[in-house]
Amino acid sequence: MDTPQPPAIPEAPTQTPEAAPSKPPVTKKDEVLGCGCLIIVALGIAMLLKSCFFGGSLDLSNPPAAIDKLAREALASAEGFEYIKVEKTGPNQDGYFVNISYRSPGDFIGGEKGSFARIKRDMNSAYKAILAYPELAVVHLKINAQLELKDSYGNTAWVDVYRTRLEEEAIGKLNRKNLDLVDFEGIWDAVFIAKIFWPYDDKQTR
């Protein structure tokens, strides 16, 4: 007698694995956007590092160093400085006399007129930056600008062309909270103007 066999178990149908969806091709636009994002991230990191290691808040407890820093930042476009002098002054030696001489790049496309306008703008920025902090006790501030000029013999040299100053009386009247509205050209004393900027008006020679 034959032994009954168990029914055969049907095999599960084999499934062919689906192919992974193909990635869209990288376009030139994608590459440009990717590079742009990397550049923005790199600039952000650079600015952060600069602020951490080279910037920082102003140390008002050391007026000479703070004034030097403010002057160099306000006149950052200068070709250099002849000097930045910060000296104590006053009966109690509790104020500071600041004397700055810097080398202006000028504006030779605009000629003498353009250079003069640039010098006055730069000086205005320097006065505003330094006098924004009454804690620094600046009571006299003098700024001298130089231009690199050529003489009749073809020699070039840095020459004083415009010198201005603010004395204690004028500085004491400043509204330090509103210096953006101050017309420093209207209140500083112009003590020297080179002949290349002549003719000049009464406002420039006060």
Side-chain angles (χ1 to χ4, degrees), residues 131-177:
L131 296 175
Y133 298 91
E135 303 93 331
L136 297 178
V138 175
V139 293
H140 302 278
L141 179 53
K142 182 185 293 185
I143 304 179
N144 178 67
Q146 296 183 324
L147 282 176
E148 191 174 25
L149 301 178
K150 183 182 294 184
D151 63 19
S152 301
Y153 302 95
N155 302 306
T156 58
W158 288 97
V159 179
D160 294 352
V161 293
Y162 192 49
R163 189 178 308 122
T164 64
R165 71 185 176 196
L166 268 183
E167 300 291 355
E168 186 173 9
E169 182 180 357
I171 291 174
K173 295 178 180 178
L174 291 173
N175 181 350
R176 306 298 181 105
K177 297 179 180 180

Side-chain angles (χ1 to χ4, degrees), residues 89-111:
T89 187
N92 300 319
Q93 296 290 288
D94 54 356
Y96 287 94
F97 179 96
V98 180
N99 195 357
I100 301 167
S101 181
Y102 76 100
R103 294 171 175 173
S104 172
D107 180 2
F108 294 102
I109 295 178

Side-chain angles (χ1 to χ4, degrees), residues 20-118:
S22 60
K23 295 181 179 179
V26 178
T27 64
K28 197 71 176 178
K29 181 180 179 181
D30 295 330
E31 293 178 354
V32 172
L33 289 174
C35 290
C37 291
L38 288 175
I39 292 172
I40 292 172
V41 171
L43 287 174
I45 293 173
M47 292 176 65
L48 179 62
L49 290 174
K50 182 178 179 181
S51 63
C52 291
F53 296 101
F54 302 100
S57 59
L58 196 66
D59 182 8
L60 298 178
S61 65
N62 186 352
I67 293 167
D68 185 280
K69 177 181 173 66
L70 290 168
R72 293 182 187 278
E73 289 178 350
L75 298 168
S77 64
E79 297 288 341
F81 291 83
E82 185 182 17
Y83 53 74
I84 300 178
K85 298 178 181 178
V86 182
E87 301 171 345
K88 287 188 176 182
T89 187
N92 300 319
Q93 296 290 288
D94 54 356
Y96 287 94
F97 179 96
V98 180
N99 195 357
I100 301 167
S101 181
Y102 76 100
R103 294 171 175 173
S104 172
D107 180 2
F108 294 102
I109 295 178
E112 287 85 359
K113 184 176 181 181
S115 294
F116 197 21
R118 176 169 189 162

